[in-house]
Amino acid sequence: MSYPLNRPAKLLFSGIAALLLGFCTFAAPGVEKYPPTISSGPHIYPVFAFYKRDTSLGRVYSTVVRHAKNGDVIIAVPAGDRGRYKIRFFGVDQALLFEIRQIQDPMLIVEKYNFGHAGMYEYELYRDNNLVERNKFRIDPD
């Protein structure tokens, strides 16, 4: 049993839209329509990519200082290097908040309550009085 066309405009519009989509190609200016052929080049093709540089290598995370989900700072010193590391924490205005001069424990947890308030903080990690790492972290309000 065939149904009568209740809405011929709907049928006509969907047919025109399908026809137009078949002929259109969507590509940003300067981007090729099809990916280049397989070659021995980099794994991200500069012509057919969203990003012009490799973002997978953008940030290197520390192996000693980590920031926990609950806001605490975890310092995990290698077993053979106890007493050789020190860390300094700075506030927003680059003022020194506090310093831990000799880290003797293999794992030290600095609770977020030691920082006083939420915000951005910086730290500098030293090994034998040589700067090893400088980074920032955020403490969120609870």
Side-chain angles (χ1 to χ4, degrees), residues 29-85:
V31 176
E32 293 181 7
K33 187 166 111 178
Y34 301 105
T37 59
I38 297 174
S39 66
S40 63
H43 70 279
I44 294 180
Y45 295 103
V47 177
F48 193 74
F50 290 120
Y51 299 102
K52 295 293 183 189
R53 63 181 177 88
D54 190 0
T55 58
S56 64
L57 302 174
R59 179 162 184 196
V60 177
Y61 291 97
S62 174
T63 58
V64 177
V65 180
R66 291 178 286 142
H67 187 245
K69 289 182 181 180
N70 63 355
D72 296 342
V73 177
I74 301 171
I75 305 167
V77 177
D81 292 338
R82 292 183 193 165
R84 299 176 72 183
Y85 282 93

Side-chain angles (χ1 to χ4, degrees), residues 9-120:
K10 183 177 181 182
L11 179 66
L12 180 65
F13 178 73
S14 63
I16 291 173
L19 184 66
L20 288 175
L21 286 176
F23 290 113
C24 293
T25 58
F26 296 100
V31 176
E32 293 181 7
K33 187 166 111 178
Y34 301 105
T37 59
I38 297 174
S39 66
S40 63
H43 70 279
I44 294 180
Y45 295 103
V47 177
F48 193 74
F50 290 120
Y51 299 102
K52 295 293 183 189
R53 63 181 177 88
D54 190 0
T55 58
S56 64
L57 302 174
R59 179 162 184 196
V60 177
Y61 291 97
S62 174
T63 58
V64 177
V65 180
R66 291 178 286 142
H67 187 245
K69 289 182 181 180
N70 63 355
D72 296 342
V73 177
I74 301 171
I75 305 167
V77 177
D81 292 338
R82 292 183 193 165
R84 299 176 72 183
Y85 282 93
K86 74 176 178 180
I87 190 166
R88 293 179 176 175
F89 292 98
F90 298 95
V92 179
D93 55 353
Q94 301 295 329
L96 180 66
L97 294 176
F98 60 93
E99 174 183 21
I100 303 172
R101 291 197 178 130
Q102 286 186 343
I103 302 174
Q104 297 292 340
D105 297 329
M107 182 179 287
L108 178 67
I109 299 174
V110 180
E111 293 183 350
K112 65 181 177 180
Y113 302 108
N114 292 320
F115 295 99
H117 59 82
M120 288 293 295

